[in-house]
């Protein structure tokens, strides 16, 4: 069962649970435009990809033991993923093995943390503020799906230009409709 809760701000590492003890219902993720589904077969993932017109895919493995450049390089990559950002495309991740955390901002700008594990599929809409990190195990293997050519362009909130981004504006407008 997926675990979703409000993120507790404290000094522990980003890979720690940061569990506030305040659960969030999966329906609340849906209201934010986030799609979650538990899928335990590749055929079902392939069917969903066809239904949603995802034409491309790749795989990513983040592993402290085998990451090119070692754990220091992995930590640097996680720092990039953990910067609050948006994308101009949906972000689709299917967890093949391992665990990680996706954090998204709710309507009150609070972080909602979702623990993703094997067979969890998460689709984040274009324009939603989010970030990702691993759990303390520092291992995940995921399938990434794309509507068009694979790309990963993050627009960081701290840079100050995301609120005027057309995809961010469309996302915010979708919340009030």
């Amino acid at each position: 069962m997926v675990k979703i809760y409000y993120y507790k701000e404290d000094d522990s590492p980003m890979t720690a649970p940061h569990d506030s003890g305040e659960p969030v219902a999966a329906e609340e993720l849906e209201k934010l435009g986030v799609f979650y589904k538990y899928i335990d077969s590749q055929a079902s993932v392939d069917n969903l990809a066809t239904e949603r017109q995802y034409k491309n895919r790749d795989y990513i493995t983040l592993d402290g033991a085998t990451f090119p450049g070692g754990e220091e390089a992995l930590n640097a990559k996680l720092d990039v993923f953990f910067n609050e950002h948006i994308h101009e495309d949906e972000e689709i991740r299917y967890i093949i093995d391992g665990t990680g955390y996706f954090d998204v901002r709710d309507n009150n700008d609070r972080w909602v943390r979702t623990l993703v594990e094997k067979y969890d599929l998460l689709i984040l809409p274009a324009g939603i503020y989010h970030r990702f990190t691993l759990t303390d195990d520092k291992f995940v293997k995921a399938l990434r799906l794309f509507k068009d050519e694979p790309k990963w362009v993050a627009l960081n909130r701290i840079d100050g230009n995301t609120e005027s981004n057309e995809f961010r504006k469309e996302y915010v407008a979708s919340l009030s409709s």
Side-chain angles (χ1 to χ4, degrees), residues 72-86:
E72 188 175 314
L74 175 60
N75 289 337
K77 181 59 82 176
L78 290 177
D79 286 343
V80 170
F81 292 161
F82 203 66
N83 284 324
E84 182 176 7
H85 61 278
I86 65 170

Side-chain angles (χ1 to χ4, degrees), residues 41-152:
S41 78
Q42 186 63 51
S44 295
V45 172
D46 293 342
N47 288 340
L48 182 112
T50 300
E51 287 171 19
R52 294 181 69 104
Q53 299 179 340
Y54 300 139
K55 298 176 185 93
N56 287 296
R57 63 182 63 202
D58 69 10
Y59 297 88
I60 185 169
T61 299
L62 301 172
D63 184 349
T66 63
F67 196 78
E71 192 158 345
E72 188 175 314
L74 175 60
N75 289 337
K77 181 59 82 176
L78 290 177
D79 286 343
V80 170
F81 292 161
F82 203 66
N83 284 324
E84 182 176 7
H85 61 278
I86 65 170
H87 299 291
E88 293 182 342
D89 297 308
E90 289 180 334
E91 182 164 330
I92 307 103
R93 300 295 182 266
Y94 176 66
I95 307 303
I96 296 167
D97 199 8
T99 55
Y101 296 113
F102 273 97
D103 298 337
V104 297
R105 292 282 189 182
D106 74 0
N107 293 340
N108 297 312
D109 218 26
R110 288 181 71 187
W111 284 117
V112 175
R113 176 160 273 197
T114 303
L115 171 65
V116 290
E117 301 175 298
K118 188 174 185 175
Y119 301 135
D120 287 339
L121 178 111
L122 203 63
I123 302 174
L124 306 180
I128 191 172
Y129 285 123
H130 68 283
R131 60 191 184 186
F132 174 81
T133 193
L134 296 175
T135 63
D136 285 332
D137 294 340
K138 291 207 175 171
F139 173 76
V140 75
K141 182 175 182 181
L143 169 65
R144 302 187 299 183
L145 297 167
F146 304 92
K147 288 217 181 232
D148 293 305
E149 290 301 312
K151 66 179 179 178
W152 192 88

Side-chain angles (χ1 to χ4, degrees), residues 28-42:
E28 292 304 310
L29 275 186
E30 288 177 32
K31 290 178 186 175
L32 297 173
V34 177
F35 177 89
Y36 167 80
K37 189 167 186 168
Y38 179 88
I39 303 177
D40 62 359
S41 78
Q42 186 63 51

Side-chain angles (χ1 to χ4, degrees), residues 2-21:
V2 69
K3 185 171 183 179
I4 309 165
Y5 53 89
Y6 284 108
Y7 180 91
K8 178 183 168 189
E9 299 285 347
D10 61 30
D11 294 334
S12 59
M14 64 183 163
T15 58
H18 290 271
D19 191 341
S20 66

